[in-house]
Amino acid sequence: MPINKNRLEAFSDGVLAIIITIMVLEIKIPHTTAWSALQSLVPVLISYLISFLFIGIYWGNHHHLIYSLRTVTSGIMWANLNLLFWLSLIPVATGWMGENGFAAHTVLVYSILLLICGIAFTILQKFVEKNTQDLALFKTAFKNLYKKGFLSIIGYACATIFAYINPIISGILLFSTAIMWIVPDRNIEKALKD
């Protein structure tokens, strides 16, 4: 009996919601009302904002990708779990990076983690593509996703390299990669209407 794709989406939604909840709960509330107490939270809040953006982007693109599915196979389930596993580590990297003021080695770990998440998403996409409702309709969408995926892996890899040279450049590369994905590929929506 085929697995309902709505269950896969609901499970993924739940995991992503928990990831965001963990990240916000990790922010330590100052024990004083002085404005200066908030100053120490600035790197933590920036780190949280960046990770919230990434999780939100993965959530939107994940939904678009799953829409194209015909059935959920065990391969898709495992590829999805693989992606969720790596995404679940983002709160750890986020907290470490924010608490340490974006030190080079924390940015390196964060960049490597995003690189692995990008690879995991591409693996999931490959499994989804094999089980798409009508591959001809989604051909353009998958082609665009592969281009964005390839550029993302390059962006994450460069961010990893620049982490020790200049963490700000790494941050710019990570943010640029996020911007590329902020709007899910509309070709999936078009294919669904056809």
Side-chain angles (χ1 to χ4, degrees):
M1 180 165 113
I3 299 160
N4 188 322
K5 69 180 180 179
N6 293 335
R7 293 203 57 198
L8 180 79
E9 280 186 301
F11 176 75
S12 301
D13 287 349
V15 171
L16 294 175
I18 290 168
I19 290 169
I20 289 173
T21 303
I22 290 169
M23 285 191 312
V24 79
L25 290 175
E26 287 294 312
I27 299 172
K28 308 293 185 270
I29 299 169
H31 295 292
T32 174
T33 59
W35 289 112
S36 59
L38 292 177
Q39 188 175 3
S40 65
L41 281 181
V42 169
V44 173
L45 292 173
I46 291 171
S47 175
Y48 169 75
L49 180 65
I50 292 166
S51 292
F52 186 91
L53 176 68
F54 274 107
I55 296 296
I57 288 168
Y58 271 104
W59 175 76
N61 283 283
H62 182 272
H63 273 287
H64 271 70
L65 187 61
I66 299 303
Y67 283 154
S68 67
L69 270 178
R70 182 177 56 232
T71 59
V72 176
T73 64
S74 59
I76 290 170
M77 287 174 46
W78 282 108
N80 192 61
L81 280 174
N82 178 50
L83 173 63
L84 294 175
F85 171 78
W86 294 110
L87 289 173
S88 74
L89 294 175
I90 285 182
V92 177
T94 299
W96 194 42
M97 188 170 67
E99 290 286 332
N100 293 288
F102 297 90
H105 51 281
T106 65
V107 174
L108 173 75
V109 168
Y110 190 79
S111 299
I112 289 170
L113 180 57
L114 289 179
L115 173 64
I116 294 169
C117 290
I119 292 168
F121 186 83
T122 302
I123 291 168
L124 176 61
Q125 180 186 336
K126 202 70 175 150
F127 277 95
V128 167
E129 189 174 355
K130 289 179 185 176
N131 292 284
T132 300
Q133 295 170 8
D134 186 346
L135 190 55
L137 286 175
F138 292 96
K139 189 174 184 175
T140 303
F142 284 129
K143 189 176 178 181
N144 289 343
L145 285 175
Y146 279 119
K147 284 180 192 174
K148 285 168 58 171
F150 180 73
L151 291 172
S152 296
I153 290 170
I154 291 172
Y156 294 142
C158 289
T160 301
I161 293 166
F162 277 101
Y164 280 115
I165 299 167
N166 188 337
I168 293 172
I169 294 173
S170 288
I172 292 168
L173 288 165
L174 294 175
F175 188 73
S176 300
T177 303
I179 294 302
M180 181 175 48
W181 287 92
I182 211 155
V183 175
D185 194 309
R186 297 193 191 280
N187 287 308
I188 290 179
E189 294 170 11
K190 288 178 189 171
L192 288 168
K193 290 176 184 174
D194 291 345

